[in-house]
Amino acid sequence: MTDDTTAATVSGEQAKIEQALTDRVVASFGDTQNPRLRQLLDALTRHLHAFVREVRLTEEEWNAAIRFLTETGHLTDDKRQEFILLSDVFGLSMQTVNVNNKTHGDATEATVFGPFFLEDAPEIPIGGDIAGSAHGQPCWVDGTVSDTDGNPVPGARIEVWEADDEGFYDVQYADGRVAGRAHLFADDEGRYAFWGITPTPYPIPHDGPVGKLLAAVGRSPLRCAHLHFMVTAPNLRTLVTHIFVEGDPQLVAGDSVFGVKDSLIKPFHTQLAGTPTPDGRVLSGDWARTTFDIVLAPVS
Ligand code: BEZ
Ligand code: FE
């Protein structure tokens, strides 16, 4: 298969030489025993070669790309995953989420996982508080978990995590605190509720090569304000998602990792100080509340 863009910019003889190389490399994977691995390598080769030929990549640009990837690798360790961040800002993470979480009736849409989930977050009862020492405006979150036939999902496990109002997750502080995260279980009717904090926009880590890339193209590292959820229940598809805050100006400016889906934007209603809370908690300042009804798809 000859690439059309290339055919338009180089002589027929040159295009033949380039295409022959692509074909030889594809053929070199021809004996791969694992058919899926063969498919991946075949398509990857074709797309990579098509890219180089389409943009007529210079050797200087090839070297710059290698330097960039090397820097990305050097910054990556068990705490900082710069390669995932790179995938995130290219929308690759989000596209992989889309491919693997096909729409199913009114099932809640999925979005990116992000790097800040922790196993073993504390358990809270329904109505408990995930904030711990994380600062921010208190926010009551409630809703239900059901399947796509409308049946409640009692006992669904709900993991929630979020940044504080300075834009940092607990794991970004050096003091080992656990704050702004917890898990709870839906009740017999699939209902859940907890206190969190009203999400605010925050930047993805941008002090490395990915940050330099964003700066070079005039893109902001900010994520739209969000609260992370992961919901699991037997025989239902695990849902990794967020809710976003309706009216957040960053929604107009855009999310640095392309994680926003309209169905996940929820009204967060501000309640003036003194407004009675759903559970009789006494608060001295304003607070907010939102509802998120979660629908889990069947395992496909
Ligand atoms: C997050 O939402 O926590 C996140 C997602 C992608 C990259 C960085 C952070
Ligand atoms: Fe996040």
Side-chain angles (χ1 to χ4, degrees):
M1 186 182 59
T2 305
D3 179 74
D4 287 346
T5 320
T6 306
T9 52
V10 298
S11 71
E13 191 191 357
Q14 175 67 20
K16 246 192 223 158
I17 292 171
E18 295 171 7
Q19 187 61 45
L21 176 61
T22 306
D23 294 344
R24 262 204 321 279
V25 179
V26 168
S28 77
F29 296 120
D31 290 337
T32 305
Q33 290 301 302
N34 180 327
R36 176 64 174 163
L37 179 60
R38 179 177 167 181
Q39 181 190 15
L40 295 175
L41 294 172
D42 180 312
L44 183 63
T45 304
R46 286 188 288 100
H47 285 279
L48 287 175
H49 282 230
F51 167 74
V52 171
R53 296 174 70 195
E54 178 186 323
V55 303
R56 312 308 302 165
L57 192 72
T58 67
E59 287 172 350
E60 201 180 313
E61 288 161 347
W62 181 89
N63 273 308
I66 295 294
R67 278 197 303 277
F68 179 87
L69 292 174
T70 303
E71 208 187 325
T72 301
H74 284 163
L75 197 60
T76 297
D77 59 20
D78 56 351
K79 292 214 166 56
R80 172 81 181 256
Q81 236 303 352
E82 194 74 0
F83 278 112
I84 295 185
L85 219 48
L86 184 57
S87 161
D88 293 339
V89 302
F90 269 91
L92 275 185
S93 310
M94 196 56 210
Q95 195 68 290
T96 307
V97 168
N98 285 340
V99 165
N100 287 278
N101 293 269
K102 289 202 239 37
T103 55
H104 186 104
D106 60 351
T108 303
E109 293 190 279
T111 187
V112 286
F113 196 45
F116 298 123
F117 173 74
L118 274 191
E119 301 281 354
D120 303 325
E123 181 176 348
I124 54 163
I126 290 176
D129 194 341
I130 74 162
S133 60
H135 289 162
Q137 181 188 63
C139 180
W140 174 261
V141 183
D142 61 18
T144 56
V145 184
S146 61
D147 65 19
T148 47
D149 292 328
N151 304 306
V153 184
R157 180 182 173 114
I158 303 160
E159 301 270 357
V160 283
W161 66 105
E162 63 177 326
D164 64 17
D165 64 2
E166 300 279 313
F168 294 111
Y169 286 81
D170 52 1
V171 291
Q172 295 176 285
Y173 292 95
D175 58 9
R177 72 184 72 178
V178 176
R181 68 178 71 242
H183 72 275
L184 67 162
F185 295 93
D187 72 9
D188 290 347
E189 288 164 76
R191 291 176 309 202
Y192 73 92
F194 61 89
W195 282 101
I197 54 185
T198 307
T200 46
Y202 68 84
I204 61 171
H206 57 109
D207 55 345
V210 171
K212 277 191 227 158
L213 173 68
L214 292 179
V217 299
R219 266 175 58 184
S220 163
L222 284 176
R223 290 222 57 203
C224 300
H226 62 274
L227 169 59
H228 292 259
F229 282 75
M230 179 162 70
V231 187
T232 49
N235 304 319
L236 293 167
R237 186 165 82 192
T238 294
L239 172 68
V240 173
T241 196
H242 319 336
I243 50 173
F244 296 91
V245 180
E246 193 177 271
D248 171 12
Q250 196 58 37
L251 286 169
V252 179
D255 183 43
S256 54
V257 303
F258 306 97
V260 179
K261 288 180 169 167
D262 287 350
S263 67
L264 301 175
I265 302 172
K266 303 291 172 192
F268 280 63
H269 303 286
T270 304
Q271 312 290 308
L272 296 180
T275 308
T277 60
D279 59 351
R281 180 176 177 185
V282 178
L283 291 170
S284 54
D286 293 355
W287 54 285
R289 65 181 303 164
T290 190
T291 295
F292 178 37
D293 291 330
I294 297 162
V295 181
L296 299 180
V299 178
S300 52

